[in-house]
Amino acid sequence: MKLVKSKDVSLPMGVLGLTAWADAKRLYAACMDGAIYECDPATGKVTPLPDRHESYASGCVLLPDGKTLISAGYDGCLLWHDLVAKKSIRRVQAHTFWSWRLALSPDGRRVASSTGQYLAGGEKYEPAAAAEPTVKVFDALTGELRQSFDHGPPVTSLAFAPDNRHVAGGNLMGEVRVWDVDAGKVAAEFTTPDFTCWGQIKSPHYCGGIYGLMFPPDGDTLLCCGMGAMADPMAGNGKMRWQRWDWRAAPPKKRDQIRDSDGGTGLMETLAPVPGGGFLMAGRQAQGTWTTAVFAADGKLVASLDTKSRVTQAVFAPDGRKLYLAATVGQPKPVNGKWGDFGRVHVVDVV
C-alpha cells in the first residue's frame, strides 16, 4: 500500500473536523472561522453553510439520511443544519466551555459532545473538577439531552462502539472511561500514563492527553492516540503514540502499542478505520518522516505520508481507494491586506 497526495482543496481557515456523504463525493469541513463548508473534492469548489458558530467549529457529523448535519464549536453549541433547505434548524447550548469533540453513533441516533477546561486544582497543578458534566449524549434527531457523564477535564476524545450503546472518552491525564448509555453508568475505566506528562521547562504544567479514540469493528478493544512524555511543553516533541486496550477485560489491559521505530515525535490527533481492516493515525510532527500512517490490524506499519501540515481528521471513501484529510498549514503572510487560505482538505490516493 502507498499513500499519494493527488490534490488539495483550499479553505479560508484551518480545518478541525471533516465528514462525508456515504459515497464521499461531497465533504463537509468544520473550520476555525466558525463555518461549515461544503466541499466538492473533484472540482475543489467550497461553499459555506448559511449559519456558523461564534468561535471555532470543532467538528461535524452527517446523519445517515444525508440531509442533516450536526456541528459543534468552541462556543459550546451544537448546530443542526438542514442541507436540503440550506438553513440551520436547531441550536443547542451543550456546554458553557468549548466542545472539544463530537461523535455520532453508528446507527446515527445518538450524538455525543465533550468539554472541560484545564484549571489548576491544587499545588501539584492537577486539573480542578469540572463545573459541569464533561460528556453529554443527545438524541441526534430531536436534540434532546439523553445522558450526562462526569469525567476529569478536559475530555479531548470521544468514540462510540459498534453496538451504539457504549461511548468512550479520554482526557488530559490519560484517563479513559467507557459508559453504557442505556444504563447511564460507567462500564469500564482505565488510566494510561503514557499520554500525559508534567512539563518542567519554560511553563510547568500538565500537557498531552488522549486526542483520538476508536473502537475496531469487533468492539472488544479500544485504540487511543496522542503523544508521549516531554520536558518542555512548548516543544511538542513527545513520541507519536497509539495504544490498544482490552476494555472489556476485568480490569482492562493494554494489548499492544506503536513500535518506537515506526514513528517520530509529535501530537497524534485522530484515528480512523481503514476499509478492509486496520486503522489510520494522523496528526502533526515535530520530527520524523510522516504525519499520516496506516497500520494493519496487527499493528504493523504498512504505509505513511508526510503532508507537511497538521492533520486533524481523516475520512476514507467506501472502497478505500481515496482518503480525505482535514488539515491546517502554516498561515501565509497577508498580501494587500488580505490573508491567504490556510485550511486544507488533502485528497490522497491509496494505491
Side-chain angles (χ1 to χ4, degrees):
M1 177 188 290
K2 290 184 179 180
L3 303 178
V4 181
K5 190 173 76 168
S6 59
K7 67 183 296 184
D8 277 341
V9 176
S10 293
L11 293 113
M13 299 188 75
V15 186
L16 298 180
L18 190 69
T19 190
W21 275 11
D23 60 7
K25 291 184 179 180
R26 191 169 298 178
L27 310 173
Y28 294 89
C31 292
M32 291 179 178
D33 59 0
I36 309 299
Y37 290 86
E38 183 178 274
C39 308
D40 183 334
T43 65
K45 181 181 179 181
V46 298
T47 306
L49 299 186
D51 205 358
R52 65 175 60 202
H53 291 271
E54 295 177 2
S55 186
Y56 292 4
S58 55
C60 55
V61 294
L62 188 64
L63 299 193
D65 64 6
K67 300 176 182 179
T68 306
L69 180 138
I70 305 171
S71 63
Y74 281 13
D75 55 4
C77 286
L78 303 187
L79 276 176
W80 273 253
H81 307 261
D82 184 327
L83 300 177
V84 177
K86 301 294 184 182
K87 65 179 183 179
S88 63
I89 55 176
R90 183 179 299 113
R91 181 184 290 262
V92 173
Q93 188 69 50
H95 315 290
T96 60
F97 191 64
W98 302 347
S99 172
W100 283 97
R101 288 288 180 174
L102 193 65
L104 183 70
S105 61
D107 64 4
R109 297 177 62 186
R110 291 166 167 164
V111 63
S113 175
S114 70
T115 190
Q117 184 178 13
Y118 174 27
L119 297 172
E123 294 180 354
K124 296 182 179 180
Y125 285 76
E126 67 278 8
E132 61 181 315
T134 47
V135 174
K136 292 184 177 180
V137 181
F138 298 85
D139 186 304
L141 299 179
T142 68
E144 293 180 43
L145 178 64
R146 295 303 188 190
Q147 294 287 0
S148 296
F149 298 115
D150 292 319
H151 195 18
V155 180
T156 48
S157 54
L158 278 178
F160 272 98
D163 64 7
N164 301 295
R165 177 171 179 164
H166 292 91
V167 64
N171 69 7
L172 166 72
M173 303 302 286
E175 299 162 339
V176 177
R177 288 184 181 175
V178 181
W179 295 274
D180 182 327
V181 179
D182 290 344
K185 64 181 183 180
V186 175
E189 56 187 324
F190 60 87
T191 300
T192 169
D194 300 324
F195 292 97
T196 193
C197 65
W198 174 256
Q200 298 177 340
I201 300 174
K202 297 178 184 175
S203 179
H205 56 75
Y206 283 103
C207 53
I210 295 174
Y211 277 76
L213 289 170
M214 190 194 96
F215 288 91
D218 63 10
D220 291 332
T221 58
L222 180 61
L223 284 158
C224 315
C225 79
M227 178 171 60
M230 54 186 173
D232 180 358
M234 305 301 178
N237 60 356
K239 288 184 179 295
M240 297 174 174
R241 176 160 285 158
W242 62 258
Q243 289 182 348
R244 182 174 6 223
W245 284 74
D246 287 323
W247 69 273
R248 293 187 185 273
K253 296 180 181 179
K254 185 175 72 175
R255 177 183 289 186
D256 58 349
Q257 66 181 5
I258 188 172
R259 300 174 180 87
D260 285 344
S261 59
D262 284 345
T265 60
L267 176 61
M268 296 291 96
E269 297 192 54
T270 189
L271 294 161
V274 177
F279 61 94
L280 172 146
M281 180 173 75
R284 44 185 153 166
Q285 68 170 2
Q287 297 166 333
T289 59
W290 57 262
T291 59
T292 304
V294 171
F295 297 83
D298 64 1
K300 181 181 179 181
L301 178 68
V302 296
S304 63
L305 173 68
D306 184 1
T307 62
K308 309 295 184 184
S309 63
R310 170 194 176 189
V311 179
T312 54
Q313 201 158 5
V315 176
F316 278 93
D319 62 7
R321 298 176 64 181
K322 288 282 188 184
L323 168 64
Y324 304 98
L325 301 173
T328 301
V329 298
Q331 186 171 8
K333 294 181 179 180
V335 177
N336 297 324
K338 182 179 179 180
W339 294 95
D341 295 345
F342 65 100
R344 298 287 187 275
V345 173
H346 300 308
V347 182
V348 179
D349 295 328
V350 183
V351 296

